[in-house]
Amino acid sequence: MTIKTYRQALHDTLRSEMLRDEDVFLMGEEIGVFEGSYKITAGLLAEFGEKRVRDTPIAEEGFTGAAIGAAMLGLRPVVEIMTINFSLLALDQIVNHAAKIYGMFGGQAKVPLVIRTPGGGGQQLGATHSQNIELYYAFVPGMKVVAPSTPADAKALLLAAIRDDDPVLFLENLALYNTKGDVPDDDTPAEIGKAKIKREGHDLTLIGYSRMAYIASNVADALAESEGLDIEVIDLMSLRPLDRETLIASVKKTHAAVVLEDDWLTYGIGAEIAATISDGAFDYLDAPVRRVAMAEVPMPYSKVLESAAFPTNDDVVNAIFQTLEAVGRRLKKVGQSHD
Amino acid sequence: MSSKLASNLKYELAPYYLTMTLKESPMTDNALTKRKAPARKPAAKKVDGGQLIKFYHDMMLIRRFEERAARAYTEALIGGYCHLNLGEEAAVVGLMSALRDGDYLFTNYREHGYALMRGIDPNRVMAELYGRVDGVSKGWGGSMHMFDMAHRLLGGYGIVGGQLPLATGAALAINYRGLDEVVMCTMGDGTANIGAFHESLNIAALWNLPIVYVVINNGLGMGTTVAKASAEPEIYKRASAYAMDSERVDGLDPVLVAEAAARAIATARTGKPFLLEVVSERLRGHSVVDPAKYRSAEEVAQLAQFDPVHTLAARLVKEKFLTAAEVHKIDDEETARADVAHAFALSSAQPDVSTLFDYNYATPVANDSRRLPGEPLFTAAGRPAAETQR
Ligand SMILES: Cc1ncc(C[n+]2csc(CCOP(=O)(O)OP(=O)(O)O)c2C)c(N)n1
Ligand SMILES: [Mg+2]
């Protein structure tokens, strides 16, 4: 084990995979000379050269599509899209091509492609730069979408994504890059399609992914200390495929669930989770499934407005307390902040 | 769709090719589309009769195959959209003759002729149109999405321009591995206006990729003329924006096309991408169901002189490479191949529904959904009903 930031874990994993396999190469805007907008690829151009670390023009559709084409011929490109907002320019290549090629041609061509891209929000970047639209990709059969929340999972899921023969959207998060944690030294990939129980508990199931899984763990720990609450935390890890079984098993045990998401509520990922729980654990629920999500507005720039629109620890704590009240549980302190 | 249309689609060849004289330069006075004549390189002085006859065979196969497909469409044996290469036979045959077996082709939805010319069995191409298990894409692709790795046909693509970034990336892979293969990426004139065209050509030129982009300029994108869609209607000129070499060639003559393609491919093989514009005609509607009412009667009447199959037939007879009877015989042979393809496709099995989830993922993964529309998410026992268990 080594303590690393999420950023360092990503960097080190990219590097070790490039050393392991000559066919792994990186493409994206500003990843080489500039060393990455968020410095994940720092030093890699100097070490591996332009062939393996390829700076591209500002042409998301063009270079993402080129990565898909290179993958069809057996290379294993890892594309960086600067933030997930810009992936919209490559939507046709991702949805109509990467996700379709294997099935549409009867299994004759694989697309071993990874698209790394961070979601965000909360950095006062305004409406066009604060979205979390991983749902668009998680919606699409043929895609795999993974979303680590810790440095260890970042490593394990990136290993899995690079070694996988299908297109994988690898969701990072601006707020997580500087977070730290223990990272195993061995190269054991995660299993794509499996959720992870981060914390066992009996009072309520708290579900999140990416930044919201991080928040979930923090809130659960704080409430254990301050309220003596025993909350089970599930990190989805994989948005497609979705590990429904783990969710249902947990809710059958806790009888209540709160879902956290950094995207918009209506038609969002939380809606899918809530529907899943209603399908699989209806008789076990003692309260409606509650969702915490972004306010449904184009994200404002003003710090005051942005803070109001973006889900915080307080919002999570409130949702938990209200759900437990609906269950009928008495709590010592209701609605208190644990930031 | 009436069977009247189907029978119309069979070209009456006999009286026409015998009377037709070969136009020396059909493009210079092409009032149809008001295209400017290219500075054309003349065809090689020494005509290779054997090659011409081979081209005629190939063009006739495409012609009869497409007519057979159109008929099958009217008989509801083919679903979806069905775009034909009628009028583009010389372009298709000339281009494909210039590729080596190891070279790659990416093309669009108007690709039956390309699939045939890459050497794929017509039976398998027709079976794909009929959605059968023996189809090139096993019934998963249909008319617009034919794929055969063995013959290096890396896809017909139904999204206009979708193949351009992919083909560019295939050329990147060739470059990455230091191989001497090239990629050819064909598209229509309308496709030159999509953003992916710019992004792809720019990237290919920047990175010295071994790729030939080919624009089949048939004058129309559905019902929109080139003049109405392209600020620069001479599409090959756009290459100058990418410091890329380019050329425009007359797509009525398979020899001219083959020679231009060979030049373009030779350039690409040295790591210099190339833009080749092939001026062609679409003899029928955009797809089988399109009556093309937006074309005037006068325009349609003139189309006959730009029929590459008739033009080559007339030339073969005039230059005494073949007799009229021999030309007929070739027609009969290729018609028979199209008929055989139909019979084969008809006899090929429909895919079994149990194979519906066979191509979800190349790398199997936990919790992969395999649920049919009416099935519940969970069993009565609360277990996920159909995740990966099928
Ligand atoms: C992105 C996209 N937009 C629109 C269409 C519908 N469409 C199919 S073919 C076509 C015209 C293309 O014309 P051109 O590139 O000249 O090719 P041609 O059909 O003449 O071979 C259009 C608009 C599509 N398939 N994809
Ligand atoms: Mg056209």
Side-chain angles (χ1 to χ4, degrees):
Chain A
M1 288 283 184
T2 311
I3 293 183
K4 285 182 189 178
T5 61
Y6 188 97
R7 170 186 287 107
Q8 191 69 37
L10 291 171
H11 169 277
D12 293 355
T13 307
L14 286 175
R15 180 173 176 274
S16 67
E17 285 297 277
M18 289 177 78
L19 288 171
R20 183 187 61 82
D21 184 350
E22 283 268 319
D23 285 343
V24 175
F25 73 105
L26 313 183
M27 275 172 84
E29 292 161 15
E30 309 297 341
I31 63 166
V33 175
F34 194 81
E35 301 199 302
S37 293
Y38 301 101
K39 306 299 173 205
I40 310 300
T41 53
L44 297 181
L45 173 64
E47 181 172 359
F48 292 97
E50 286 182 359
K51 180 182 160 188
R52 310 279 307 278
V53 182
R54 198 173 278 265
D55 276 321
T56 68
I58 311 160
E60 282 79 7
E61 181 179 15
F63 72 73
T64 304
I68 299 166
M72 290 171 78
L73 264 63
L75 295 182
R76 309 189 82 82
V78 181
V79 165
E80 176 174 306
I81 295 184
M82 210 179 267
T83 80
I84 199 167
N85 304 281
F86 315 144
S87 74
L88 291 176
L89 282 295
L91 203 54
D92 171 57
Q93 283 299 320
I94 301 170
V95 174
N96 282 331
H97 296 90
K100 302 294 188 279
I101 281 166
Y102 184 66
M104 184 169 78
F105 297 138
Q108 295 181 81
K110 299 170 182 173
V111 182
L113 164 78
V114 179
I115 299 172
R116 292 180 36 244
T117 189
Q123 284 97 4
Q124 277 197 283
L125 291 167
T128 60
H129 283 54
S130 305
Q131 301 170 101
N132 291 299
I133 49 175
E134 54 278 7
L135 165 67
Y136 296 178
Y137 306 104
F139 181 59
V140 180
M143 289 301 297
K144 292 172 179 171
V145 180
V146 298
S149 68
T150 67
D153 291 342
K155 173 175 181 175
L157 277 172
L158 187 55
L159 287 171
I162 291 174
R163 297 175 189 188
D164 193 284
D165 277 341
D166 296 302
V168 181
L169 187 113
F170 186 92
L171 182 72
E172 302 171 5
N173 190 286
L174 299 185
L176 293 178
Y177 280 145
N178 288 333
T179 57
K180 282 190 183 159
D182 270 335
V183 178
D185 297 320
D186 70 301
D187 285 353
T188 308
E191 194 182 342
I192 295 178
K194 291 273 195 180
K196 199 177 211 172
I197 298 174
K198 295 248 148 178
R199 187 179 201 290
E200 298 216 26
H202 287 86
D203 290 340
L204 176 145
T205 302
L206 191 58
I207 302 159
Y209 63 93
S210 195
R211 185 186 81 98
M212 275 307 200
Y214 173 85
I215 299 270
S217 292
N218 287 352
V219 168
D221 287 347
L223 292 181
E225 200 164 304
S226 64
E227 315 292 328
L229 281 179
D230 182 22
I231 291 177
E232 179 141 309
V233 175
I234 295 181
D235 183 346
L236 293 175
M237 301 270 285
S238 172
L239 301 178
R240 175 173 284 271
L242 178 62
D243 182 355
R244 294 190 157 95
E245 203 168 356
T246 298
L247 297 174
I248 295 308
S250 174
V251 174
K252 282 182 176 173
K253 181 173 70 176
T254 64
H255 307 284
V258 173
V259 189
L260 315 181
E261 55 192 325
D262 269 343
D263 64 344
W264 295 300
L265 183 120
T266 306
Y267 305 112
I269 284 171
E272 180 59 35
I273 307 293
T276 292
I277 294 170
S278 125
D279 269 352
F282 181 76
D283 288 339
Y284 296 81
L285 280 176
D286 289 340
V289 177
R290 182 69 182 266
R291 288 173 282 161
V292 177
M294 287 205 302
E296 304 206 27
V297 293
M299 186 60 80
Y301 164 74
S302 144
K303 190 70 210 163
V304 172
L305 294 178
E306 184 188 51
S307 299
F310 203 57
T312 61
N313 287 13
D314 281 0
D315 300 321
V316 176
V317 169
N318 281 336
I320 290 170
F321 283 1
Q322 286 166 15
T323 301
L324 289 174
E325 271 185 87
V327 169
R329 223 189 119 127
R330 254 177 234 291
L331 294 156
K332 286 187 279 179
K333 300 174 261 178
V334 172
Q336 184 175 315
S337 167
H338 291 269
D339 256 322
Chain B
M1 185 57 54
S2 68
S3 56
K4 190 157 150 271
L5 177 60
S7 57
N8 283 347
L9 285 164
K10 176 110 175 159
Y11 284 84
E12 289 306 324
L13 181 67
Y16 188 65
Y17 69 85
L18 294 175
T19 55
M20 184 173 175
T21 53
L22 180 65
K23 281 178 88 73
E24 287 309 321
S25 180
M27 291 185 53
T28 43
D29 55 7
N30 182 353
L32 275 184
T33 50
K34 301 199 175 55
R35 286 174 243 156
K36 249 200 247 164
R40 268 200 292 137
K41 305 212 173 46
K45 280 271 147 5
K46 238 181 49 226
V47 181
D48 178 346
Q51 186 198 38
L52 271 191
I53 293 168
K54 166 87 171 73
F55 281 166
Y56 188 65
H57 262 286
D58 289 344
M59 288 165 58
M60 204 39 135
L61 171 61
I62 299 175
R63 172 67 50 102
R64 294 311 184 208
F65 184 95
E66 294 291 58
E67 290 167 355
R68 196 70 196 69
R71 178 134 60 98
Y73 193 92
T74 65
E75 293 163 359
L77 290 168
I78 299 174
Y81 298 147
C82 189
H83 313 83
L84 307 177
N85 286 124
L86 295 174
E88 299 174 355
E89 292 90 344
V92 175
V93 165
L95 288 168
M96 293 302 97
S97 74
L99 289 175
R100 294 181 190 163
D101 286 350
D103 294 335
Y104 294 90
L105 175 71
F106 287 74
T107 182
N108 60 11
Y109 47 84
R110 198 183 295 286
E111 95 274 42
H112 310 163
Y114 293 95
L116 297 172
M117 289 308 111
R118 286 256 71 185
I120 301 170
D121 186 344
N123 291 0
R124 294 180 58 222
V125 179
M126 196 68 90
E128 187 60 36
L129 295 178
Y130 290 26
R132 308 300 172 102
V133 288
D134 296 304
V136 274
S137 304
K138 304 179 192 166
W140 280 77
S143 167
M144 299 195 285
H145 308 116
M146 304 232 181
F147 187 103
D148 187 347
M149 191 56 107
H151 291 89
R152 302 230 159 160
L153 168 64
L154 264 77
Y157 291 87
I159 301 291
V160 161
Q163 74 274 25
L164 274 82
L166 302 174
T168 308
L172 172 62
I174 291 167
N175 169 286
Y176 190 96
R177 296 215 157 115
L179 304 172
D180 82 333
E181 296 149 354
V182 303
V183 176
M184 181 177 278
C185 176
T186 73
M187 73 199 87
D189 44 277
T191 306
N193 301 315
I194 209 156
F197 177 89
H198 160 68
E199 294 193 11
S200 300
L201 270 70
N202 185 52
I203 285 174
L206 277 174
W207 296 351
N208 301 313
L209 301 183
I211 182 165
V212 178
Y213 299 99
V214 180
V215 174
I216 305 293
N217 183 347
N218 60 13
L220 288 167
M222 297 186 77
T224 304
T225 60
V226 173
K228 209 173 147 191
S230 283
E232 172 50 86
E234 295 183 57
I235 294 166
Y236 73 102
K237 289 184 178 172
R238 298 217 197 146
S240 67
Y242 312 103
M244 192 186 286
D245 288 342
S246 69
E247 187 181 330
R248 189 184 224 200
V249 65
D250 181 357
L252 190 59
D253 183 341
V255 179
L256 286 178
V257 175
E259 289 172 354
R263 284 191 293 275
I265 290 168
T267 306
R269 229 180 277 284
T270 68
K272 288 179 66 189
F274 197 98
L275 176 62
L276 179 63
E277 180 182 359
V278 183
V279 179
S280 186
E281 290 293 347
R282 202 189 74 201
L283 295 180
R284 294 276 153 173
H286 170 67
S287 68
V288 176
V289 294
D290 171 24
K293 286 190 180 143
Y294 42 83
R295 297 178 99 167
S296 69
E298 184 200 8
E299 184 184 330
V300 172
Q302 287 187 63
L303 276 177
Q305 7 167 2
F306 300 105
D307 182 325
V309 178
H310 293 176
T311 303
L312 183 55
R315 177 175 177 188
L316 284 165
V317 173
K318 187 184 171 212
E319 298 182 15
K320 299 202 165 39
F321 291 115
L322 292 176
T323 64
E326 287 167 332
V327 167
H328 268 299
K329 192 161 160 282
I330 292 174
D331 185 358
D332 289 345
E333 280 171 37
E334 301 305 341
T335 304
R337 286 178 80 188
D339 287 341
V340 167
H342 158 73
F344 174 85
L346 210 52
S347 69
S348 175
Q350 301 277 3
D352 197 293
V353 173
S354 69
T355 63
L356 183 60
F357 301 104
D358 280 6
Y359 306 117
N360 275 12
Y361 291 118
T363 302
V365 72
N367 295 308
D368 172 17
S369 173
R370 295 174 171 228
R371 182 171 299 97
L372 290 171
E375 293 180 343
L377 259 180
F378 294 93
T379 63
R383 303 264 311 160
E387 313 281 17
T388 61
Q389 292 148 13
R390 200 176 283 280

